[in-house]
Amino acid sequence: MDKKIKIGLIGLGTVGSGVFKTLKNFENIEIVKIAVKNINKKRDIEGLDSSIMTDDAYKIVNNPEIDIVAELIGGIEPAFDLISTAIKNGKHIVTANKELLAKRGEDIFKLAEEHNRVILYEAAIAGGIPIIMPVKTILAGNKITHIEAILNGTTNYILTKMDVQKASYADVLKEAQELGYAEADPTGDVEGFDAAYKIATLASITFHKRIDIQKVYREGITKIRAKDMEAANDLGYKIKLIASADIDENGNADVRVHPMLVSKKSTLAHIDYVTNAVMLKGHPVGSITLSGPGAGEFPTASSVVGDILAIAAEIGKTDYILPMMRCKHNSAANMLDISETTNKYYISIHAKNNKGVIGKIGTICADNDISLASIVQKCVSDDNTADITVITELVKEKNMQNAIRLIEADGNKVNNLIRVQV
Amino acid sequence: MDKKIKIGLIGLGTVGSGVFKTLKNFENIEIVKIAVKNINKKRDIEGLDSSIMTDDAYKIVNNPEIDIVAELIGGIEPAFDLISTAIKNGKHIVTANKELLAKRGEDIFKLAEEHNRVILYEAAIAGGIPIIMPVKTILAGNKITHIEAILNGTTNYILTKMDVQKASYADVLKEAQELGYAEADPTGDVEGFDAAYKIATLASITFHKRIDIQKVYREGITKIRAKDMEAANDLGYKIKLIASADIDENGNADVRVHPMLVSKKSTLAHIDYVTNAVMLKGHPVGSITLSGPGAGEFPTASSVVGDILAIAAEIGKTDYILPMMRCKHNSAANMLDISETTNKYYISIHAKNNKGVIGKIGTICADNDISLASIVQKCVSDDNTADITVITELVKEKNMQNAIRLIEADGNKVNNLIRVQV
């Protein structure tokens, strides 16, 4: 490398600090400018030179000296405008901004294409786990049609703790908040928004089709009970918040985030606490699973720095364009609605009157073309009520929702309806 | 892509067929020549044009039209001479030949460097699992210091079956041979040679240091008994053939293949049958695990084709040199001998006379600076003998070997000494 590659960092929070500390070790890389919100904040980072700090991020994106801008602030604005400006000024982009990629990815990728620049974003999906680069390079010979992943550490931590401690969602959430694993307002994590952003972007690059984030089905973990965990365990499953994506031969995409009963025999069932994992299925590779830390200062820095080094290795070539690293998903996928899908289900029912209830539920299911894999009646109480756990075979979502309405109309309470891994 | 990239395939066995079938779908790639041993053999491969077949592989490596040679025959010769000739003739190389890489890697990488060509070999290590490319690209910001992997499908199949069926090694080997999972002469797999080739090459590229295959410690699975599996299970472990590599700050490398008790809590314990997995630990990424099919026609083809596409994407640029994909391990690691290492151990002892034996074993261990984590005496028979299972804390290998000699000198039989995951 003849010339040093010049980097501008936007953001010096958890991820930015990790990137700064890691890049220090690379002699061919120079961080020439760092933008922060509060320039007067005391920061305990060794080797940080206050003279390169600014509170005006436009001093980075408009700086002609800078080759690569690393955007590490998150959110839509000002990130979108900063990235757009940087691209127009001829800079390559490295970002960890999953929300921006999911909501405005189309715009920034198009802009990058027009200006012959690349946007890399390994850190935005599954933190330190190498997934975007492998999909774009070494797996490029594959047609990948199925993704099943644990992409949110907070919810996986909560579900693992609920399982291990047989504790309620509310208790574990509180504990997670105290430990800093969950935010004061946990909505983004526990309602599945974060995982939805990530699976939308991952599916786009993997299927080579744009995924409309508005049409990604999303269901969080707030309704999962310790009782569901226990029932799942008895049946050979763990409950995980799974982000999945499927595409069929006609380009119809089924992309979603919801809790799922996963078989204890599957790798995902053993991905615990804040660990993330991505399982891909395709041809010719078959099925592969990549797991590791989904967040955190250093794991995320690993991915940001990997992207920076990949761009740096190409800069200075006569006609560098990083051919395999571009985003090729110019056409939109036809997004299937959840009501059009077919799933297996776990149903937990509290029957008001246990007399004949199994028969009635069986009849409702049969009337709706629902075959049952198992049905367990448990804990008949003195008051003549009963807890019933049903696992179905593959069933149309529409039919299932109809059956649920009828079961409830019959005076029973459906505690939970959770999809089961196929 | 303006011009088609021209490929020469050497070998049309299992892997070669998979590569041929996969590459057919890429319009910018053309297979112009295929070398096979027997040109008259009937092959049931759709679209195979017999006019491009030859039984002289030198017609590929000397063909000026060919850009990339895929060597898929394995073994040292003629593969080494073919690859050397191809590089001298300006061709890039894609190979799945783990034995050649382990034994002659230094020579061919040096030659490739001199001729400004690359050798890619994703398929040589862990089949379809993306590992070499991620290590060279997206993980390039890391200092990886520990690798722990299951790299041989045959032995993992045998160990899984022994565990599940509580069967003997000999019985399961026979079954595996009948099913085609083990070869008639299984030595290369069951004695750990195959895994040793793979870990040596993986460690070289990961540590940026040449690993001397002659100094890789190697121990196979032939002595593992169903009883050891059972005892391990009771203690919370599975027994796996683990290929591992460690490097310290001074560049001392500890690279080995041997059976190991791995905690049921670790991901590797759940990698069963022919699946492979690689766990890497380093900074800043932390610990990541990649798992998937370690062999087979299509998974291996996925990696070969990924490598071919990576080279193809760069050919035609003015000064293409695939910067991140080169091999940078020009200096040799100082290889630690197993006797210099420190490990935890599982010891299975058959005591001839159970009277006072625990005390004696305890004294021998104490005299050799060996702390015990657990000791279980079981199945005292009518003949006054006893089976004793010991798990130690971290102990010097030298001390352990000395203690074993003393325990045996005292009239006991040491059934097995197996290292335990730390």
Side-chain angles (χ1 to χ4, degrees), chain B residues 229-250:
Chain B
M229 290 271 173
E230 209 183 313
N233 255 307
D234 290 347
L235 293 160
Y237 297 97
K238 295 280 174 191
I239 299 178
K240 297 287 185 186
L241 183 69
I242 298 293
S244 71
D246 288 89
I247 194 156
D248 68 18
E249 318 82 66
N250 303 316

Side-chain angles (χ1 to χ4, degrees), chain B residues 77-242:
Chain B
E77 289 293 0
F80 178 77
D81 191 62
L82 286 167
I83 287 177
S84 303
T85 307
I87 294 170
K88 287 176 196 157
N89 287 331
K91 289 157 203 350
H92 295 287
I93 306 296
V94 175
T95 176
N97 193 332
K98 60 234 168 187
E99 185 180 357
L100 180 68
L101 289 164
K103 293 183 177 169
R104 305 298 302 271
E106 185 181 351
D107 302 321
I108 58 171
F109 289 129
K110 206 177 147 206
L111 195 66
E113 194 71 23
E114 285 166 14
H115 289 81
N116 198 26
R117 292 299 177 267
V118 292
I119 301 170
L120 299 189
Y121 47 89
E122 187 69 71
I125 290 123
I129 305 174
I131 179 71
I132 302 298
M133 188 90 76
V135 162
K136 286 188 187 174
T137 61
I138 194 67
L139 296 170
N142 285 273
K143 189 170 170 54
I144 292 167
T145 50
H146 178 67
I147 307 170
E148 212 168 281
I150 294 172
L151 294 176
N152 181 270
T154 303
T155 48
N156 204 46
Y157 177 87
I158 292 172
L159 293 173
T160 306
K161 275 280 180 181
M162 285 174 68
D163 186 42
V164 171
Q165 301 179 346
K166 304 193 188 308
S168 75
Y169 166 76
D171 287 349
V172 175
L173 173 63
K174 211 181 138 205
E175 190 194 313
Q177 285 171 322
E178 281 162 12
L179 291 168
Y181 287 134
E183 293 182 45
D185 175 2
T187 314
D189 293 315
V190 300
E191 295 294 358
F193 289 97
D194 175 79
Y197 297 149
K198 292 168 177 169
I199 191 69
T201 299
L202 178 56
S204 292
I205 191 68
T206 306
F207 298 159
H208 309 297
K209 289 271 181 192
R210 270 200 325 274
I211 299 298
D212 182 350
I213 182 68
Q214 301 303 330
K215 292 181 181 164
V216 173
Y217 180 77
R218 186 184 45 70
E219 205 182 296
I221 63 162
T222 58
K223 288 187 297 180
I224 307 292
R225 306 163 310 153
K227 268 194 180 177
D228 296 315
M229 290 271 173
E230 209 183 313
N233 255 307
D234 290 347
L235 293 160
Y237 297 97
K238 295 280 174 191
I239 299 178
K240 297 287 185 186
L241 183 69
I242 298 293

Side-chain angles (χ1 to χ4, degrees), chain A residues 206-224:
Chain A
T206 306
F207 297 160
H208 310 297
K209 290 271 182 194
R210 269 199 327 273
I211 299 299
D212 183 349
I213 182 68
Q214 302 303 331
K215 294 183 179 162
V216 173
Y217 179 78
R218 187 185 45 71
E219 206 182 297
I221 63 162
T222 58
K223 288 188 298 180
I224 307 293

Side-chain angles (χ1 to χ4, degrees), chain B residues 27 34 41 56 84 126 342 363 387:
Chain B
E27 287 177 4
I34 303 173
K41 186 174 164 185
D56 178 6
S84 303
T342 300
T363 306
D387 279 332

Side-chain angles (χ1 to χ4, degrees), chain A residues 22 26 122 128-130 133-134 137-142 267 270 283-293 298-299 301-303 305-307 309-310 313-314 316-319 321 323-324, chain B residues 22 26 122 128-130 133-134 137-142 267 270 283-293 298-299 301-303 305-307 309-310 313-314 316-319 321 323-324:
Chain A
T22 306
F26 290 83
E122 186 69 70
I129 304 174
M133 187 89 79
T137 60
I138 196 66
L139 296 170
N142 286 273
T267 309
H270 301 281
H283 183 80
V285 76
S287 168
I288 57 171
T289 303
L290 316 175
S291 63
F298 286 113
S302 167
S303 290
V305 171
D307 280 345
L309 295 177
E314 293 271 337
K317 306 287 164 298
T318 316
D319 51 1
I321 56 159
M324 295 188 93
Chain B
T22 306
F26 290 83
E122 187 69 71
I129 305 174
M133 188 90 76
T137 61
I138 194 67
L139 296 170
N142 285 273
T267 309
H270 301 280
H283 183 79
V285 76
S287 169
I288 56 171
T289 303
L290 316 174
S291 63
F298 287 112
S302 167
S303 290
V305 170
D307 280 345
L309 294 176
E314 292 272 337
K317 308 284 165 298
T318 316
D319 51 2
I321 57 158
M324 294 189 95

